[in-house]
Amino acid sequence: MTRVGNPVGRRQFVGGVAALAGSAMLTGCGMGGGGGGGGDNKSMTFLNDAALKGTPFQSVVDAFQKESGIKVTVQPVPAEYDTKFRTVLASGAPPDLVKINDDYVKGVSASGALLDLRELIEKEKVDTSKFEQNLYNFPKQKDGSHTAWVIGHSPRLIFYNPEMFKAAGLPLPPTTWSAENWTWDDFQETAKKLTIPGKQYGALVYLDTGFEQTFSINNGSPDGIYSKDGTKFTLADPKGAEAVQWATDLTCKAKVQPAWGDIQGDNADLQMFAQGRLAMMFAQFSVVPYLEQAVKGMTWDVAPPPAGPAGQLTESSVVTYSIPKKAKNPEAAFKLLAYLTSKEGGELFAKGKQWLPMHQDALSALAGPPQHIELFKEAVSHSTLPNQTLDTLGARQIYRPALEKVYNCESQASDVLGSVKAQVEKIIKG
């Protein structure tokens, strides 16, 4: 998933969860509770994928330090973060808190390197009833262990340029979560009317990888990318492949979406939208601050994803952090996690629009632009999350490069996904 926490760059996970698992075994990490301990719990270290200075995150950390008296030392790693993450997690002296890619929680948990948070949750008396339970339970493992903590989430919607709709004589998209005149067919026809060859494109869907889960589920796939038990690559099944092909054919057949090769530069989609060369794009909440700064001289708004044949759900990227099992100050680290998901901490995140807070009462602090920002709140009750596997990273390294033949209009999604299905399923079974 893309852009959570760092809206102006895309993350790449370098290395492998399998390598992490091997390193963890060599350092003696095992499953179960109890952190490394031995610290003073008056200070803590925090490995993050971006610097916090000047962000809402820094404001929350500052407020926590003032209230708790615990000193937080942030170790930002803005380049090749996941390589560093894998290295420090396998070491004998990891930071007390680490950012973890939401898609890799299950695989890294299986390595035994992450602390089970259940005892700390009980000790801190965290009122989890205020959290959206689907998101709160996301990091829970099959054995009941809670190996990561969700501090926020970033739902995906359709961002659009109302002025282009008006210029084309088109009605605006729905302002509530509605499928009325907003189906896949409606969306494609609207995109055709918004496209002006050589000047602007009507839509961009397939660049944000969240479309894989969202559109396959809305096309009738019961599981999305992976089966519930994480052992089958269900994106390769007919409903999943059809969804990938539909999104790709916006380029290959309808000619309303930019060619794949033209949008591989960093933030190409956001730049096109900000420059008035793109009418609609599928993107997540975390791009809002970027657009507020970059979009000049035009308005922009959001709408729900178009309804597929089977539904109108969307996917959130989930912001997750873990405490390594060998952390010296696990209690201090969890106190910070608890504060990040408190009403006070959540309000700071909402005001800064970094991501949607976990605490439901904090959502009242969210305000526009865009005008219909409330749709992001509605997205919580219209969400789907990908099922986890033991090696989602390994799976992606196989099927996403293969899909470039589809996106470049060279092959059909059913053929490409079918050709790698067995290989992917071997990987995700660990």
Side-chain angles (χ1 to χ4, degrees), residues 2 25 102 110 136 253 259 266 295 322 401 424:
T2 60
M25 287 188 285
D102 53 345
Y136 170 68
K253 292 184 177 181
D266 198 27
V295 174
S322 291
V424 170

Side-chain angles (χ1 to χ4, degrees), residues 98-113:
V98 293
K99 173 80 175 288
I100 181 170
N101 187 307
D102 53 345
D103 292 315
Y104 309 136
V105 171
K106 182 175 181 178
V108 179
S109 296
S111 76

Side-chain angles (χ1 to χ4, degrees), residues 216-424:
S216 60
I217 286 287
N218 289 340
N219 195 42
S221 170
D223 297 313
I225 303 172
Y226 309 106
S227 61
K228 290 182 180 179
D229 64 2
T231 64
K232 293 183 174 59
F233 182 47
T234 47
L235 187 66
D237 292 348
K239 292 298 183 181
E242 285 174 8
V244 173
Q245 192 64 55
W246 179 87
T248 304
D249 282 346
L250 293 174
T251 293
C252 302
K253 292 184 177 181
K255 309 298 183 182
V256 300
Q257 180 172 243
W260 185 249
D262 294 340
I263 52 175
Q264 296 310 299
D266 198 27
N267 303 310
D269 52 345
L270 301 185
Q271 292 177 27
M272 289 183 68
F273 187 80
Q275 294 165 3
R277 296 188 292 122
L278 180 62
M280 300 186 291
M281 66 176 180
F282 182 61
Q284 60 176 281
F285 177 77
S286 63
V287 309
V288 170
Y290 177 96
L291 294 179
E292 283 187 296
Q293 295 178 13
V295 174
K296 307 295 182 184
M298 74 178 197
T299 58
W300 54 281
D301 208 346
V302 291
Q312 193 178 19
L313 300 180
T314 191
E315 181 195 342
S316 285
S317 284
V318 184
V319 188
T320 45
Y321 285 80
S322 291
I323 299 174
K325 192 172 183 184
K326 290 186 175 293
K328 291 183 178 180
N329 301 293
E331 292 186 8
F334 188 77
K335 285 181 183 294
L336 174 58
L337 290 179
Y339 189 82
L340 295 176
T341 49
S342 67
K343 181 175 182 292
E344 295 76 14
E347 286 176 345
L348 292 172
F349 283 132
K351 289 176 181 176
K353 300 178 184 176
Q354 187 155 12
W355 47 66
L356 296 193
M358 281 291 286
H359 201 290
Q360 294 175 1
D361 292 348
L363 287 170
S364 60
L366 190 66
Q371 181 180 354
H372 295 100
I373 199 168
E374 295 288 325
L375 281 168
F376 286 108
K377 298 181 188 179
E378 289 188 43
V380 177
S381 57
H382 297 275
S383 287
T384 174
L385 293 172
N387 296 312
Q388 294 194 44
T389 79
L390 287 175
D391 194 356
T392 299
L393 165 63
R396 286 180 173 179
Q397 290 177 329
I398 295 170
Y399 81 82
R400 283 187 175 164
L403 277 175
E404 293 204 2
K405 289 186 178 180
V406 181
Y407 301 152
N408 284 313
C409 308
E410 299 170 2
S411 302
Q412 293 294 298
S414 57
D415 294 337
V416 169
L417 291 170
S419 71
V420 299
K421 183 177 182 179
Q423 189 180 2
V424 170

Side-chain angles (χ1 to χ4, degrees), residues 136-293:
Y136 170 68
N137 290 323
F138 174 77
K140 284 189 176 180
Q141 303 305 303
K142 189 174 181 179
D143 63 358
S145 59
H146 206 118
T147 53
W149 191 253
V150 177
I151 70 167
H153 60 109
S154 188
R156 290 170 170 82
L157 296 179
I158 297 295
F159 289 70
Y160 69 93
N161 183 325
E163 296 170 4
M164 291 183 179
F165 276 75
K166 293 175 184 177
L170 296 170
L172 296 178
T175 58
T176 61
W177 209 276
S178 170
E180 185 176 359
N181 300 318
W182 198 237
T183 65
W184 282 10
D185 288 342
D186 296 325
F187 182 83
Q188 181 171 298
E189 286 305 308
T190 298
K192 286 180 180 179
K193 294 174 181 177
L194 288 168
T195 298
I196 303 175
K199 181 180 179 181
Q200 69 188 46
Y201 286 96
L204 178 52
V205 169
Y206 64 172
L207 185 61
D208 187 309
T209 54
F211 98 91
E212 297 171 356
Q213 175 74 11
T214 298
F215 284 75
S216 60
I217 286 287
N218 289 340
N219 195 42
S221 170
D223 297 313
I225 303 172
Y226 309 106
S227 61
K228 290 182 180 179
D229 64 2
T231 64
K232 293 183 174 59
F233 182 47
T234 47
L235 187 66
D237 292 348
K239 292 298 183 181
E242 285 174 8
V244 173
Q245 192 64 55
W246 179 87
T248 304
D249 282 346
L250 293 174
T251 293
C252 302
K253 292 184 177 181
K255 309 298 183 182
V256 300
Q257 180 172 243
W260 185 249
D262 294 340
I263 52 175
Q264 296 310 299
D266 198 27
N267 303 310
D269 52 345
L270 301 185
Q271 292 177 27
M272 289 183 68
F273 187 80
Q275 294 165 3
R277 296 188 292 122
L278 180 62
M280 300 186 291
M281 66 176 180
F282 182 61
Q284 60 176 281
F285 177 77
S286 63
V287 309
V288 170
Y290 177 96
L291 294 179
E292 283 187 296
Q293 295 178 13

Side-chain angles (χ1 to χ4, degrees), residues 111-130:
S111 76
L114 304 179
L115 182 67
D116 183 354
L117 303 178
R118 285 179 292 182
E119 290 183 11
L120 292 172
I121 295 170
E122 183 176 352
K123 184 175 181 179
E124 285 296 313
K125 297 182 173 58
V126 179
D127 182 6
T128 60
S129 67
K130 292 292 185 177

